[in-house]
Amino acid sequence: GSVPASAVLGEDAFRGVPFYLSLKAGQMCPGDEIVRGLITPSEAVLKSNWNVLQEQILYVLAVAEGNAEYEPSETAMLAYGAVSTMPPAPEGLQIPRILAPEDLTFQDNGWNSAAGSDLLMIADAGDYRIVMEAYGYGLFEELYWENACFRISRVFFVEKESGGEELASEHGWTVSVEKEGDYYKDLTFVHEDGRIVHYHSGYLSAEPYHLFFSPNGTRVAVEYKHSLGYNAFVVVILNGDTVPNGYVDYMPGYFGAYQKGSLGWIDEDNLEGINEFGWFRLNLYEGIPVREPDHPVASDPEVLSLLTMTVSELTDIYGPLELQYSEHGPGQPVYAMSNFPGVLLVFSHQQMYEPLPESRMPSELIITSAYTGTIHGIRIGDRAEDLVSIPWSDAQYWVIEGTVALYAAFPDEIVTCLINGSEEFHLPAEDTASEYDWTLWAEAFLENPAGTIQVLRIRSVD
């Protein structure tokens, strides 16, 4: 556009406008180089005022060493936020006296990246690496790089052999987690090529993190259970791509209760999962879940198809059926398939000492912990209270077994979840159990189901 000749321009009218600052400087200013993609953070930091960064680094090293006599200058205090949150120096950390540019490895995160800093500065320190996150400070107000400054925003230490409690290793990334008491907190990702990504969690997770890497390993969804009791997830960007707000955080208070374990990647930029309203899709660049009302409920179709297969078809595909036990005396035998661990076949109206007719079909399936997939979004080991989208239809307490049977009705199958642990069921005292209104108990349990699912039983709808 253009500015009319009659316009009255204030002193700050073009403050932070790259092309104007370049005209004023007589050369391309820092902001102009950044927006045109002509310079990376690791190139920029070496052209900036290194003395400002050097004083901050000395401040970091002095505090890590425990030097009580060190008095930081006003410039060094730019790193006060990083120093005040820096973890204690671990045993085996060898702190250098000074760090010059040639002593550091610079790793680009990208300008305004989801990592929250423009670059990492990494230094060897004995059995550890000192990692300092930094970002450009006021770069869009400077005319020349020699006046531009970088500010250290966070400092942490990464063990060279193993950075804390190892959580996973996938797509070349080794992931370790730091704990705070009984809770899980920060994550450190170290790639086999030397790259480091540190996720500083604003939450405490009451359970171990569950990681879902994207197909190409450039992002990872971190599922956690907040110390307040709800389930959620955050997406950590591993390749420096920029997303709005710098991160993607699923907030149940805004988007609805999230169903633990339901998350999956569609591609590098899109996730899908289940919350209390049903299926949702989440694009990382939009940041807001969108409902998918027509999305089919997640199931393992191969498992459910077993109910429609004959003994002949089952043995052809999965090998010989092996008798395990019988549920009712000699009747209702249970068979295993040698090539399908964790799934048992139940044949009603059949005697265990009689050969199975080749035309018989199983009447029911039993899913055990050896099967790691999901059935209609339910997985062995899930907590019933976390499965917010499951259409629970009934609940029964089996007194002799001390087990709750929690039923979910789907169009073609009835799924029964068996849950042990009577301390969670708010049961009546034994001397009053025979007089107790179990209908009222079932209604109350369906409103607030609880307990760990240990076995699934599946039968077709008659």
Side-chain angles (χ1 to χ4, degrees):
S2 61
V3 179
S6 59
V8 178
L9 302 179
E11 184 178 345
D12 292 332
F14 286 99
R15 181 180 181 181
V17 179
F19 80 86
Y20 175 76
L21 295 178
S22 291
L23 288 174
K24 191 174 179 179
Q27 64 182 51
M28 198 170 289
C29 69
D32 219 352
E33 288 194 58
I34 291 171
V35 297
R36 294 175 186 270
L38 300 177
I39 194 167
T40 64
S42 59
E43 294 168 338
V45 72
L46 296 175
K47 296 176 67 174
S48 70
N49 187 337
W50 183 261
N51 290 332
V52 172
L53 199 50
Q54 185 71 76
E55 289 195 44
Q56 297 176 65
I57 293 173
L58 290 174
Y59 183 23
V60 168
L61 297 178
V63 173
E65 191 178 25
N67 185 350
E69 298 180 358
Y70 178 83
E71 295 185 7
S73 66
E74 184 177 345
T75 299
M77 287 295 287
L78 287 171
Y80 176 76
V83 168
S84 63
T85 58
M86 182 172 65
E91 186 177 347
L93 180 72
Q94 298 176 9
I95 302 169
R97 295 185 60 188
I98 192 169
L99 289 173
E102 56 268 23
D103 301 319
L104 296 164
T105 299
F106 298 96
Q107 176 187 309
D108 285 316
N109 285 334
W111 297 110
N112 300 313
S113 77
S117 61
D118 297 329
L119 79 159
L120 303 182
M121 301 182 295
I122 306 169
D124 281 338
D127 296 335
Y128 288 80
R129 297 184 182 93
I130 300 175
V131 183
M132 295 170 282
E133 298 182 358
Y135 65 92
Y137 182 61
L139 299 184
F140 283 83
E141 298 180 6
E142 298 295 343
L143 299 180
Y144 310 103
W145 275 113
E146 55 262 32
N147 297 326
C149 301
F150 276 75
R151 185 174 189 172
I152 298 174
S153 56
R154 185 176 295 128
V155 179
F156 57 95
F157 310 108
V158 176
E159 195 172 358
K160 290 181 179 178
E161 294 300 323
S162 174
E165 179 180 324
E166 188 169 316
L167 183 64
S169 182
E170 194 170 339
H171 289 284
W173 293 98
T174 298
V175 189
S176 58
V177 60
E178 298 170 24
K179 297 187 70 174
E180 191 170 300
D182 293 331
Y183 293 97
Y184 298 83
K185 200 172 188 312
D186 295 357
L187 288 167
T188 301
F189 300 79
V190 180
H191 198 268
E192 57 191 17
D193 64 10
R195 284 178 291 153
I196 297 174
V197 175
H198 186 72
Y199 168 61
H200 181 73
S201 175
Y203 313 109
L204 293 175
S205 180
E207 296 179 355
Y209 292 119
H210 189 189
L211 306 185
F212 301 85
F213 280 88
S214 63
N216 295 334
T218 63
R219 297 95 163 82
V220 60
V222 181
E223 188 182 75
Y224 63 91
K225 189 178 187 70
H226 197 281
S227 55
L228 297 178
Y230 61 81
N231 293 299
F233 65 88
V234 64
V235 179
V236 178
I237 307 298
L238 299 175
N239 66 344
D241 285 350
T242 301
V243 297
N245 301 320
Y247 59 90
V248 180
D249 198 352
Y250 184 92
M251 296 174 286
Y254 290 96
F255 305 140
Y258 164 69
Q259 179 173 308
K260 177 183 175 182
S262 66
L263 208 58
W265 288 92
I266 300 171
D267 52 39
E268 292 300 295
D269 296 326
N270 291 278
L271 287 155
E272 61 181 356
I274 303 173
N275 62 17
E276 62 183 293
F277 306 111
W279 277 92
F280 66 83
R281 178 178 292 216
L282 176 62
N283 179 276
L284 302 187
Y285 291 91
E286 295 172 357
I288 299 176
V290 177
R291 288 190 62 189
E292 291 190 300
D294 298 327
H295 195 296
V297 177
S299 293
D300 188 325
E302 186 178 6
V303 172
L304 297 178
S305 69
L306 298 176
L307 289 168
T308 62
M309 298 175 67
T310 64
V311 169
S312 176
E313 292 169 333
L314 290 167
T315 53
D316 286 344
I317 298 173
Y318 302 110
L321 306 187
E322 302 169 358
L323 179 64
Q324 302 298 299
Y325 58 91
S326 182
E327 293 195 311
H328 301 301
Q332 200 154 307
V334 177
Y335 286 81
M337 296 173 286
S338 55
N339 295 326
F340 209 141
V343 180
L344 302 175
L345 310 173
V346 181
F347 293 88
S348 59
H349 310 294
Q350 177 75 30
Q351 300 296 310
M352 62 182 297
Y353 50 78
E354 296 176 346
L356 287 172
E358 291 192 352
S359 59
R360 285 294 304 273
M361 297 181 183
S363 55
E364 196 172 6
L365 306 177
I366 299 175
I367 310 298
T368 69
S369 59
Y371 178 73
T372 58
T374 61
I375 304 295
H376 286 299
I378 306 171
R379 189 193 309 267
I380 301 296
D382 282 348
R383 296 283 300 180
E385 60 266 35
D386 295 333
L387 302 176
V388 294
S389 67
I390 301 301
W392 304 121
S393 57
D394 194 12
Q396 295 178 352
Y397 180 64
W398 298 348
V399 177
I400 296 177
E401 293 87 351
T403 300
V404 162
L406 188 58
Y407 299 90
F410 297 94
D412 298 315
E413 296 89 22
I414 301 292
V415 177
T416 305
C417 303
L418 302 183
I419 306 170
N420 291 333
S422 59
E423 71 280 356
E424 300 186 66
F425 302 151
H426 307 292
L427 299 172
E430 291 186 11
D431 58 351
T432 63
S434 60
E435 303 173 1
Y436 190 70
D437 189 336
W438 290 101
T439 302
L440 292 177
W441 173 87
E443 292 175 355
F445 190 81
L446 288 173
E447 289 183 7
N448 295 288
T452 302
I453 296 171
Q454 296 179 320
V455 176
L456 297 178
R457 297 183 72 105
I458 309 166
R459 60 181 175 84
S460 298
V461 174
D462 295 333

